[in-house]
Amino acid sequence: MRPQECGSRTAVRWAKLTDERGEGIEVLAPGTMEFSALPYSPFEIENATHTDEFPPSHRVWLCPALMRRGVGGDNSWGARTHPEYTLHQVPLKFAVALRPIR
């Protein structure tokens, strides 16, 4: 098994990430978003072949998105995405607000 993106949540309206002192950041969406917060960048995750290749991390990568495609087919090795799960090429708008927490 290879490491891959994980932990994405759907229908998120806000997310708050704080440290042990209660300081951090709040991410707010005007509607809903998909959101994940991971200790490694998408590049690091995609290029690792085993989890033991990840160094200790002292950061968090925030990944807010309007929507994600995902697998959507019957398998992850070539089946086409079902039409009801296809993201059609139409203009989309996405915005988030970032607020510091002190």
Side-chain angles (χ1 to χ4, degrees):
M1 293 183 56
R2 290 180 55 114
Q4 56 187 309
E5 183 183 351
C6 60
S8 184
R9 302 291 187 253
T10 60
V12 174
R13 292 180 291 183
W14 60 270
K16 192 180 287 189
L17 292 93
T18 59
D19 63 13
E20 60 278 350
R21 296 181 310 258
E23 297 178 346
I25 191 166
E26 185 173 22
V27 183
L28 304 151
T32 62
M33 64 179 160
E34 295 204 15
F35 184 84
S36 67
L38 301 171
Y40 303 104
S41 73
F43 179 81
E44 290 171 313
I45 294 170
E46 186 172 312
N47 287 294
T49 55
H50 298 93
T51 56
D52 63 347
E53 295 174 11
F54 293 126
S57 178
H58 303 287
R59 59 186 177 195
V60 176
W61 289 82
L62 305 180
C63 299
L66 177 59
M67 59 182 80
R68 291 197 175 104
R69 185 181 66 205
V71 176
D74 296 321
N75 59 47
S76 60
W77 54 88
R80 303 284 298 169
T81 303
H82 294 268
E84 63 268 28
Y85 302 115
T86 301
L87 300 180
H88 301 285
Q89 292 184 353
V90 297
L92 300 172
K93 293 182 181 180
F94 178 62
V96 295
L98 304 176
R99 184 181 340 184
I101 300 171
R102 299 191 175 132

